[in-house]
Amino acid sequence: MGKRTALYDTHVAAGARLVDFGGWDMPVNYGSQIEEHHAVRRDAGMFDVSHMTVVDLDGVQTRAFLRKLLANEVNKLHEPGKALYSCMLNERAGIIDDLIVYYLRNDWFRMVVNAATHDKDLAWIGKQAQPFGVKISERDLAMIAVQGPNAREKAVRVLPADARASALALKPFTALKYGGFFIARTGYTGEDGFEIMLPPAQAAELWQALVREGVAPCGLGARDTLRLEAAMNLYGQDMDENTTPLESGLGWTIAWEPAERDFIGRKALEAQRQTGTKRRFVGLLLDDKGVMRAHQKVMADGAGEGQITSGTFSPTLERSIALARIPAASGDAVQVDIRGKLCKAQVVKPPFVRNGKILIK
Amino acid sequence: MSKVPADLKYTKSHEWIKDASDGSVTIGITDHAQEALGDIVFVEVPQKGRKLAAGEACAVVESVKAASDIYSPVAGEVLEGNAGLSDAPEKINADPYGTWILRIKPANPTDLKALLDAKAYEQMLKDEA
């Protein structure tokens, strides 16, 4: 038996199909995964993401610590509540995890890191924090992601009355705290919406209230097709400790300026930036029938071989899409080895879909 | 609990087999199998005339989640693959027992007797749960 979130009984009662995800028993779908996907693209859906790790960082040197720990620059955060996406690197610039960090006060930041990397993340953060005297506390919070074009409008109706106006006024990638609630305008689907953290004891009640507002319960299956269409990387699949942000389509998350900021992994990244990467991270669109999957080989004529890191059937495009790491010299036409059969695919610039719109031809 | 019609034969790998009583059988996947796979988006069927050994992978059903091989329950020859599935693979989810994937002519009709009956398949599902 895996770990259970505060919403486990709610999922079981709703007839969810449960799978193991990073040691947690999580819903993969309730009914049709494709319908759940469309609910998020067209209206509003919600995900139990309480398995994710919420860590609070306290201490006067927290900002200085994060400027060392993260490849992105927390000094970009000026307004309390503002969020930043970043990679946390090892000395070789390999990615230990990707995360969101929220600036709350100069001596208080909150980070949300992946569930599957919980133990190694906390060990690494704890070790690096020591010289800065920063206190690390893991928070036991439930988290519900409400996503879709109508998500915010529906979600505010079930929030405490006093919090509604300020929640609606949140700008993208900002958050507010209201009592035990932490409401962020963030997500992992390529749609607008909120991620709401709250005390576990209140999670089931909020979930049911959202159901009554017409928000569709969605499983990790739809979450995966949505994030893949939006070309948002999945840790452990599209990147890990053996790949750098430059090889993972995440160059935009590296803050090179100011040049004197000595974040962990910087030296190795600078070296790779000088010599250039041998592989590039791209999107693939399958021309033939079939479904591309992680670990399948990509053949680029004359340039060598690459590999699919994530692949699926895209419910919005109604064909298979993938993220892949291919030789830098690859052309735009490649072949994918799908179960022994060579299928034609085009190299495209991700994302495939954002805010309900198809972005590739 | 998933449906298990009494008039069909079954395999441990979740195929159902319907005897057409004309020397041919149709093969599909069970309600349990379609439910586990989730939304089916692609089906690859074998060419007519292909000779199959018992237990040989002879078709592929792909859902959003995963690809799954379909195994021939008995030795035989492919009479046809269900061409209609190319445009409507989701029919398998909607009506798993009304949607066959391939039709074969068993090499030895007596082989069918060794397959699971509904009761045995149902028991197997219970044991697996």
Side-chain angles (χ1 to χ4, degrees), chain A residues 226-238:
Chain A
L226 286 158
R227 71 92 193 166
L228 234 168
E229 285 185 350
M232 292 169 156
N233 289 14
L234 173 61
Y235 189 80
Q237 216 166 292
D238 301 307

Side-chain angles (χ1 to χ4, degrees), chain B residues 3-73:
Chain B
K3 288 189 261 330
V4 182
D7 58 331
L8 302 177
K9 293 279 199 178
Y10 299 88
T11 66
K12 285 181 184 162
S13 47
H14 308 286
E15 288 90 5
W16 57 256
I17 300 93
K18 185 174 184 181
D19 191 343
S21 310
D22 62 353
S24 78
V25 297
T26 50
I27 299 162
I29 62 168
T30 65
D31 190 26
H32 172 86
Q34 71 78 20
E35 212 265 322
L37 277 167
D39 294 313
I40 291 164
V41 293
F42 175 65
V43 182
E44 191 185 318
V45 296
Q47 290 291 317
K48 182 184 171 177
R50 186 172 144 193
K51 297 274 198 299
L52 300 171
E56 186 178 336
C58 59
V60 181
V61 175
E62 288 219 36
S63 70
V64 183
K65 273 184 259 178
S68 180
D69 281 314
I70 304 303
Y71 302 98
S72 186

Side-chain angles (χ1 to χ4, degrees), chain A residues 17 28-29 31-35 221 225 289-291 293 312-313 315 338-339 341, chain B residues 35-36 38-42 44 59-60 62-69 86-87:
Chain A
R17 190 171 185 84
V28 64
N29 59 285
S32 162
Q33 173 179 342
I34 291 178
E35 278 168 32
T225 52
K289 284 208 161 188
V291 183
R293 308 279 181 190
T312 192
F313 175 82
I338 300 182
R339 302 157 61 85
K341 217 160 80 179
Chain B
E35 212 265 322
D39 294 313
I40 291 164
V41 293
F42 175 65
E44 191 185 318
V60 181
E62 288 219 36
S63 70
V64 183
K65 273 184 259 178
S68 180
D69 281 314
S86 151
D87 289 327

